[in-house]
Amino acid sequence: MAHAASQVASDVEGSPRGAAIRLRGLRKEFGSVVAVDLVDLDVEDGEFLTMLGPSGSGKTTVLRMIAGFVIPTAGRVELGGVDVTARPPFDRDVNTVFQDYALFPHMSVQENVEYGMRVRNVERGQRRRRAVEALDSVQLGGYGARRPSELSGGQRQRVALARALVNRPKVLLLDEPLGALDLKLREQMQVELKGIQRQVGITFVFVTHDQQEALTMSDRIAVFHDGRIEQVGPPAEVYERPATEFVAGFVGTSNLLRGAAARTVLGRDGIWSVRPEKIRVLDPGGVAETGLRFADGVVREVVYVGDVTRFVVELDAGGELVALQQNLHTSSSDVLAFRGRAVRLVWRPEHEFEVGAGTAGSPPAGGA
Ligand code: ATP
């Protein structure tokens, strides 16, 4: 889409670092299925770029076209300014880390990490030294003699990473590498992986369908939908200024006000959104300060999630909004009693934005 294309141009072409990866007009058909269509994307040298989107949106296919495992139906893949579209995977300066790690079970950790260098006839002493360094960089020094079966999922994931890093590729492609881990380990690995990327300075292209993961780790996020990129930008921009309704809904809760609801609550047309954590839930009639936006409604659903509570409120003006409240003083029984109650939702006008407009909302505060 035009927005994505101009975003790429403004982010990258003015950059002194240059593009490690440049995709132009990339398209892939599998029979009658168009898996990827008209993808333009530049990834800067040393950048952590995440391709985010729902299952089937084309992320993996793009990654595999960068790696050379899938040949594009149309378009071009450049690595470091060189057109590699027709080159086989082994002739591209990239490495891939897969979700299932693909470690050799009969080899030790050290042998697994050395494998690529052995194939390329790197001298034995250098092989050893580089493998030890790579294992150290993923905090696995001292684990070299173990078999993969003697490691936890997170440790296996780090061996796979060390095995990819040891080849010192310009670009590392990661296809849902944390998908098999439980939530706690996954969150820990997100922080570690970002730290390792910063330390080694390699360009990372990371595929996930988990928006939280994308927001946590990335320098920029490319949001995929139906084989196309809907928006490319830094996490805060994608979250706070979604370019399309799809992005607003996929990267967060959509919380849209449109038509009559937008006119009544905001006094304007268009499609507007305000993030749930920006909305306070008050008693009917309760507005503490002037200049705030407010909308009256009835609580349709309350979900207690431990640290926060989600209120789904049906607005008198039509449509509904979700509000997230920190459970500072409340208990689960307190909040559940809210179901069916009339409430007033309140937020600051600067926290509402027009979806796709790229600007914050700024009309004078009025109200329902
Ligand atoms: P997921 O998160 O589930 O891995 P994805 O966003 O990575 O999804 P892709 O794997 O790129 O999506 O698939 C995009 C589309 O292309 C899907 O409709 C998929 O069914 C189709 N597809 C992918 N690979 C093939 C193939 N080898 N043959 C036929 N269709 C394919």
Side-chain angles (χ1 to χ4, degrees):
M1 76 168 2
H3 179 95
S6 61
Q7 180 75 47
V8 165
S10 64
D11 276 2
V12 176
E13 274 164 22
S15 157
R17 300 166 84 187
I21 304 171
R22 176 167 290 158
L23 309 178
R24 285 294 177 269
L26 215 52
R27 179 180 169 91
K28 181 64 191 177
E29 298 165 13
F30 294 107
S32 60
V33 176
V34 180
V36 172
D37 194 17
L38 279 176
V39 164
D40 290 329
L41 180 67
D42 285 20
V43 185
E44 277 186 68
D45 222 0
E47 185 175 21
F48 195 125
L49 181 121
T50 297
M51 301 201 285
L52 171 70
S55 182
S57 58
K59 317 173 293 285
T60 298
T61 303
V62 170
L63 199 79
R64 293 173 71 81
M65 287 193 278
I66 299 172
F69 300 124
V70 168
I71 306 299
T73 309
R76 197 169 81 239
V77 177
E78 286 178 22
L79 294 174
V82 178
D83 188 338
V84 299
T85 319
R87 284 196 196 171
F90 61 80
D91 203 14
R92 300 183 184 204
D93 199 359
V94 301
N95 260 241
T96 308
V97 178
F98 298 99
Q99 177 170 356
D100 62 4
Y101 319 140
L103 299 176
F104 299 115
H106 58 286
M107 290 186 191
S108 69
V109 165
Q110 174 87 20
E111 287 164 345
N112 261 285
V113 177
E114 283 186 29
Y115 180 78
M117 292 185 285
R118 214 171 72 202
V119 172
R120 283 180 288 114
N121 292 320
V122 175
E123 181 268 321
R124 191 187 167 124
Q126 195 192 351
R127 229 162 61 201
R128 285 275 146 83
R129 205 172 49 250
R130 277 171 59 178
V132 166
E133 268 173 31
L135 284 169
D136 278 344
S137 76
V138 297
Q139 285 106 45
L140 281 181
Y143 284 75
R146 292 207 195 176
R147 294 281 159 103
S149 59
E150 296 168 324
L151 300 176
S152 72
Q155 289 167 337
R156 278 203 283 270
Q157 200 279 338
R158 279 183 276 163
V159 175
L161 193 61
R163 194 179 53 177
L165 290 172
V166 82
N167 297 321
R168 299 173 186 167
K170 281 247 163 46
V171 171
L172 196 58
L173 307 174
L174 302 107
D175 193 359
E176 304 241 10
L178 309 181
L181 307 180
D182 67 53
L183 182 63
K184 217 167 174 64
L185 192 52
R186 198 179 165 113
E187 287 175 347
Q188 185 190 331
M189 283 302 302
Q190 288 167 6
V191 176
E192 284 186 19
L193 203 55
K194 177 71 199 162
I196 291 167
Q197 189 265 344
R198 215 177 273 135
Q199 184 196 330
V200 296
I202 293 176
T203 309
F204 273 34
V205 180
F206 187 94
V207 164
T208 185
H209 59 262
D210 182 329
Q211 47 275 50
Q212 216 56 47
E213 189 158 284
L215 292 169
T216 307
M217 304 174 78
S218 322
D219 295 320
R220 284 189 311 154
I221 300 172
V223 185
F224 277 71
H225 181 214
D226 282 347
R228 289 175 180 243
I229 294 178
E230 295 241 339
Q231 186 172 5
V232 189
E237 188 180 298
V238 170
Y239 185 74
E240 288 170 17
R241 301 281 172 266
T244 65
E245 267 188 72
F246 173 81
V247 176
F250 193 73
V251 189
T253 305
S254 43
N255 256 11
L256 300 179
L257 286 167
R258 64 169 96 218
R263 281 193 293 278
T264 310
V265 176
L266 310 174
R268 31 179 35 190
D269 287 313
I271 302 173
W272 294 78
S273 182
V274 52
R275 293 298 190 187
E277 67 275 13
K278 305 292 195 217
I279 303 176
R280 282 192 289 151
V281 181
L282 302 181
D283 288 329
V287 173
E289 307 149 49
T290 54
L292 294 181
R293 197 74 84 185
F294 57 89
D296 293 332
V298 172
V299 177
R300 182 170 68 70
E301 193 53 77
V302 185
V303 186
Y304 176 78
V305 211
D307 54 346
V308 293
T309 298
R310 280 169 67 88
F311 295 83
V312 182
V313 177
E314 233 162 62
L315 302 181
D316 298 347
E320 59 182 35
L321 287 176
V322 175
L324 265 192
Q325 305 292 283
Q326 293 273 324
N327 289 333
L328 293 175
H329 308 293
T330 41
S331 70
S332 62
S333 52
D334 289 341
V335 295
L336 293 177
F338 265 81
R339 198 172 284 137
R341 269 201 211 169
V343 291
R344 172 161 282 188
L345 300 181
V346 179
W347 64 91
R348 308 182 77 82
E350 62 264 33
H351 288 149
E352 70 207 18
F353 52 87
E354 189 169 14
V355 174
T359 52
S362 53

